[in-house]
Amino acid sequence: MTEKALIDKKKLLERWEVKGGWTYISLPEIPKDPRQHFGMRKVRGTIDGHELPVCNLMPVKGSHMMLPVNATIRKKIKKEAGATVHLILFAAGENIMDVATQDFIDCLHDEPAALAAYNTMSPAEQKKCLQWLMEITVTDTRIQRMADAINHLAAGRTYLGNKK
């Protein structure tokens, strides 16, 4: 199944003309996420073919979102405010990769206390845990997150390491 992009189109780089003003891309076609703080939305994708790390779309006055484009990215794509870029964005952490998810479940089976703690979590909390694990695109970091989550669960804490 192919993942559907939130947006795949040419967009204008804009800039707030104030001291320290941000360069950004306005995204009125992407709604706020009502489940997240301030309606922020985690995304990943590309801008003019340059890979963007997982980042948050920021809400702006009104009901739409914007993507801040920092100087590092602007230098890599060689564009500034006023230029048009090709933006492709996907929701991050919402489409969980089956293989990595199965790897995590297999590892839980090697640690009975962690598996028992995981199984006591609500289905919504289990999904949130898996999304948190899979939102990282760097394999070594994802593996470390899995190991940390399993150790935390086995020790009687939440998957994030907080006390229950």
Side-chain angles (χ1 to χ4, degrees):
M1 186 168 130
T2 306
E3 186 176 9
K4 184 172 174 6
L6 292 171
I7 190 166
D8 182 354
K9 62 168 59 169
K10 301 260 185 214
K11 298 296 286 182
L12 178 67
L13 280 175
E14 300 177 63
R15 181 167 176 81
W16 275 314
E17 295 300 331
V18 295
K19 185 176 180 177
W22 290 10
T23 301
Y24 65 97
I25 299 172
S26 182
L27 300 166
E29 57 270 90
I30 299 178
K32 291 180 181 179
D33 185 344
R35 301 166 297 169
Q36 299 300 322
H37 193 57
F38 296 116
M40 284 196 239
R41 205 171 202 155
K42 281 192 179 206
V43 295
R44 61 182 172 74
T46 62
I47 182 169
D48 275 357
H50 171 72
E51 187 172 344
L52 296 171
V54 173
C55 58
N56 283 317
L57 295 182
M58 307 294 288
V60 292
K61 198 172 191 177
S63 62
H64 72 279
M65 308 297 282
M66 66 110 170
L67 174 68
V69 182
N70 66 30
T72 304
I73 293 170
R74 293 193 314 272
K75 284 178 186 170
K76 287 183 180 178
I77 63 173
K78 296 178 173 68
K79 292 192 177 170
E80 292 294 333
T84 301
V85 296
H86 184 196
L87 181 67
I88 303 172
L89 294 178
F90 297 91
E94 291 178 10
N95 293 316
I96 300 167
M97 298 179 343
D98 293 335
V99 172
T101 300
Q102 189 56 50
D103 286 346
F104 178 67
I105 301 300
D106 290 345
C107 290
L108 279 172
H109 284 282
D110 293 337
E111 188 64 53
L115 179 61
Y118 181 80
N119 286 335
T120 63
M121 293 166 53
S122 70
E125 191 66 15
Q126 288 178 356
K127 181 178 179 182
K128 200 170 168 184
C129 171
L130 293 173
Q131 287 174 339
W132 174 76
L133 290 169
M134 300 310 136
E135 71 187 14
I136 295 297
T137 57
V138 179
T139 304
D140 290 343
T141 306
R142 182 181 296 143
I143 291 168
Q144 186 60 52
R145 267 195 182 187
M146 287 181 184
D148 291 345
I150 290 169
N151 289 336
H152 293 321
L153 289 168
R157 297 185 300 268
T158 68
Y159 65 91
L160 293 172
N162 303 326
K163 291 183 179 180
K164 288 186 179 179

